[in-house]
């Protein structure tokens, strides 16, 4: 983890302003219960450790089970997107799974995330799909795990990390960029709403980034 940075309101707003120009920031409204499919025990431990670290950074909570879903943060690894269609009952969790697989194949994507929300708009579940192409394999388990943990702790803009990773390398180890860590911590401040659709929210987040270090 990295600490000690500030970030302006405009930069915060960019992290939550979607391609259509709308502003939306949502955090988890319930404890996070992760499960990871398709990896060995060592990689599983790395992913759960990264999720625990980011949840602790946010000041949020984890739990042993989710009363509604059992697990609410599900990470699926595959070598080919077509493998997802063979996962038992996945089509119940992800409607229109076959068209989604076709879109991911056509785009040659290597990752995809789906968020689900409660009645108030807070995050209640997230499904992460990772196709282990050469790029993701080269990233290494620690970097990949930390990156996914960061990208699932909040509903970021679809453009938030297109040009720059949320991580930085220090001494050869991946850490969360300090301004990103600050935004995560600030966005989970209990004073702020769990869901915000007005860009003035970015001013409140930016004001808290330095204070909550």
């Amino acid at each position: 983890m990295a600490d000690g940075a500030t970030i302006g309101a405009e930069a915060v707003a960019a992290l939550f302003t979607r391609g259509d120009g709308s502003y939306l920031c949502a955090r988890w409204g319930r404890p996070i219960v992760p499960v990871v499919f398709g990896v060995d025990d060592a990689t599983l431990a790395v992913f759960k450790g990264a999720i625990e670290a980011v949840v602790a950074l946010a000041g949020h909570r984890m739990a042993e089970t989710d009363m509604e879903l059992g697990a609410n943060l599900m990470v699926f690894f595959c070598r080919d997107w077509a493998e997802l269609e063979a996962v038992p009952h996945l089509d119940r969790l992800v409607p229109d799974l076959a068209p989604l697989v076709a879109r991911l194949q056509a785009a040659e994507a290597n990752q995809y995330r789906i968020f689900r929300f409660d009645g108030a708009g807070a995050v209640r579940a997230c499904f992460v799909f990772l196709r282990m192409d050469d790029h993701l394999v080269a990233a290494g388990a620690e970097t990949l795990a930390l990156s996914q943990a960061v990208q699932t702790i909040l509903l970021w803009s679809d453009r938030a990390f297109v040009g720059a990773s949320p991580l930085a390398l220090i001494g050869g180890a991946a850490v969360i960029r300090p301004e990103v860590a600050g935004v995560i911590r600030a966005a989970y401040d209990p004073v702020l709403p769990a869901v915000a659709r007005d860009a003035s929210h970015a001013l409140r987040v930016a004001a808290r980034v330095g204070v909550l270090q």
Side-chain angles (χ1 to χ4, degrees), residues 172-183:
V175 298
I176 304 174
R177 281 173 23 215
E179 67 273 20
V180 174
V183 168

Side-chain angles (χ1 to χ4, degrees), residues 150-177:
V150 168
Q151 293 183 80
T152 56
I153 195 65
L154 288 168
L155 179 67
W156 305 91
S157 162
D158 51 343
R159 306 182 299 180
F161 303 119
V162 171
S165 168
L167 309 183
L169 287 176
I170 296 180
V175 298
I176 304 174
R177 281 173 23 215

Side-chain angles (χ1 to χ4, degrees), residues 28 73 105 116 138 157 159 164 169 178 184 209 213:
W28 284 78
L73 174 53
Q105 289 173 325
R116 296 285 183 260
S157 162
R159 306 182 299 180
L169 287 176
I184 292 171
V209 170
Q213 296 296 329

Side-chain angles (χ1 to χ4, degrees), residues 42-162:
T43 304
L44 174 63
V46 169
F47 260 76
K48 288 198 170 180
I51 293 167
E52 289 171 358
V54 174
V55 169
L57 168 70
H60 193 51
R61 295 164 292 138
M62 297 184 68
E64 292 296 322
T65 187
D66 180 84
M67 294 298 291
E68 181 182 0
L69 297 171
N72 55 30
L73 174 53
M74 303 183 189
V75 184
F76 298 86
F77 281 79
C78 63
R79 288 286 179 180
D80 187 283
W81 289 124
E83 295 174 21
L84 296 180
E85 295 185 88
V87 177
H89 311 306
L90 184 58
D91 57 340
R92 298 180 186 174
L93 295 173
V94 183
D96 301 319
L97 179 61
L100 172 61
V101 167
R103 291 199 306 273
L104 294 174
Q105 289 173 325
E108 297 184 352
N110 62 12
Q111 56 186 289
Y112 189 74
R113 285 171 293 278
I114 299 173
F115 287 84
R116 296 285 183 260
F117 306 94
D118 62 23
V123 177
R124 72 177 179 90
C126 181
F127 307 102
V128 180
F129 304 102
L130 300 171
R131 180 177 65 84
M132 294 304 291
D133 63 1
D134 292 343
H135 177 73
L136 292 189
V137 170
E142 290 81 5
T143 298
L144 183 58
L146 188 57
S147 175
Q148 295 303 318
V150 168
Q151 293 183 80
T152 56
I153 195 65
L154 288 168
L155 179 67
W156 305 91
S157 162
D158 51 343
R159 306 182 299 180
F161 303 119
V162 171

